[in-house]
Amino acid sequence: MTKKEKESKEFIDSLTAISEQKGISADVVLEALETALATACKKNTGSNANVEVVIDRETGGINVYTKKEVKENPDPELGEISFEEAIEMGLDDPQEGDVIQEEVVIKDFGRVAAQTAKQVVMQKLREAEREIVYTDFSGKVGEIATGIIQKVSRNIIIVNLGRVEAIMPKAEQVPSERYEMNQKIKVLITEVNQTPKGPQVIVSRSNPDFVRKLFEFEIPEIYE
């Protein structure tokens, strides 16, 4: 096994281990990586040609292909070729619309692949973590949670619930209560929304269910 093959195999093994640890499908990450690498290759070559990147799931080997479509009046920038070029590439009887796949070598591809792989893996990990948090807190709507106040402003209170910073809008606050930084506080989880920046958790201390749930939480006999 060459040094390059060994590094490729180690990459697949590491990716698989991370995927299992974080609960992400390795195939999902690899498919995203193939798409990202194809985009990177287009930028690298300055072409709009149809580029496909294939990563071997066993060895980690990466192959880059361009797909060239046969046209009567081809546009090379779009990866199109003439009938004559198609014949030279081995197509016996080329027809309009035929597609030929050709493997290509991209300059500095190893460096591009390494940078892109890091970005894609980190992005997928962030997405997976957000999905896990969203699923977790979606199942806790209507429950009491304990957190620490992280920010106090005129209209909202930010409460750290451990894995997420929840928002307590002014309407969900009790007017007679005073909220301070680093104060430990119990809140009712009322709403969980999925946003581009991750899950948004809304909490309340003025919701009528808060008092009822609080009594149930503090005095089990009431729940019984």
Side-chain angles (χ1 to χ4, degrees):
M1 182 181 290
T2 66
K3 181 180 179 182
K4 184 176 180 180
E5 291 173 336
K6 184 178 179 181
E7 290 176 347
S8 297
K9 183 65 168 63
E10 288 175 349
F11 167 71
I12 289 294
D13 291 342
S14 298
L15 181 59
T16 301
I18 293 173
S19 298
E20 291 176 352
Q21 181 185 358
K22 297 294 183 177
I24 321 170
S25 168
D27 275 337
V28 169
V29 178
L30 286 169
E31 287 171 8
L33 181 53
E34 287 171 336
T35 301
L37 284 174
T39 301
C41 288
K42 287 183 180 182
K43 291 180 180 179
N44 185 279
T45 58
S47 169
N48 291 320
N50 190 352
V51 177
E52 181 181 17
V53 175
V54 179
I55 301 175
D56 190 297
R57 269 47 174 176
E58 296 294 328
T59 66
I62 302 176
N63 297 95
V64 183
Y65 303 93
T66 56
K67 292 183 177 181
K68 300 180 182 294
E69 186 174 359
V70 179
K71 292 284 187 179
E72 184 174 352
N73 298 303
D75 183 346
E77 284 298 313
L78 297 178
E80 298 171 350
I81 57 174
S82 65
F83 291 95
E84 293 76 13
E85 289 173 308
I87 293 173
E88 290 176 3
M89 293 176 67
L91 205 61
D92 294 332
D93 183 24
Q95 302 294 320
E96 179 91 7
D98 283 349
V99 176
I100 299 177
Q101 183 171 282
E102 182 182 35
E103 187 169 1
V104 295
V105 177
I106 304 295
K107 183 180 178 182
D108 294 330
F109 184 68
R111 178 179 56 81
V112 173
Q115 291 175 343
T116 306
K118 182 178 179 181
Q119 293 169 358
V120 169
V121 170
M122 293 305 296
Q123 177 63 26
K124 285 298 173 183
L125 288 177
R126 284 193 293 268
E127 290 175 2
E129 183 66 24
R130 288 172 181 173
E131 186 61 35
I132 290 170
V133 171
Y134 174 75
T135 302
D136 183 25
F137 279 90
S138 292
K140 294 180 179 179
V141 171
E143 294 184 7
I144 294 287
T146 302
I148 304 293
I149 293 180
Q150 294 290 299
K151 181 180 178 181
V152 179
S153 68
R154 185 175 181 179
N155 295 315
I156 65 170
I157 306 294
I158 303 298
V159 183
N160 189 335
L161 298 180
R163 300 178 68 183
V164 69
E165 290 188 341
I167 298 173
M168 184 162 61
K170 192 175 184 63
E172 302 298 338
Q173 300 169 28
V174 177
S176 61
E177 289 185 335
R178 182 177 180 181
Y179 303 106
E180 298 180 349
M181 287 284 293
N182 299 318
Q183 177 185 346
K184 193 173 183 179
I185 190 173
K186 283 185 172 60
V187 293
L188 178 74
I189 299 174
T190 60
E191 190 178 340
V192 180
N193 302 309
Q194 190 71 284
T195 74
K197 293 184 178 181
Q200 181 190 66
V201 179
I202 307 298
V203 296
S204 173
R205 281 182 62 85
S206 65
N207 190 297
D209 283 339
F210 174 67
V211 176
R212 180 175 63 83
K213 285 285 185 178
L214 189 59
F215 271 109
E216 291 176 358
F217 184 82
E218 297 289 354
I219 310 174
E221 289 78 5
I222 291 181
Y223 178 77
E224 295 295 333

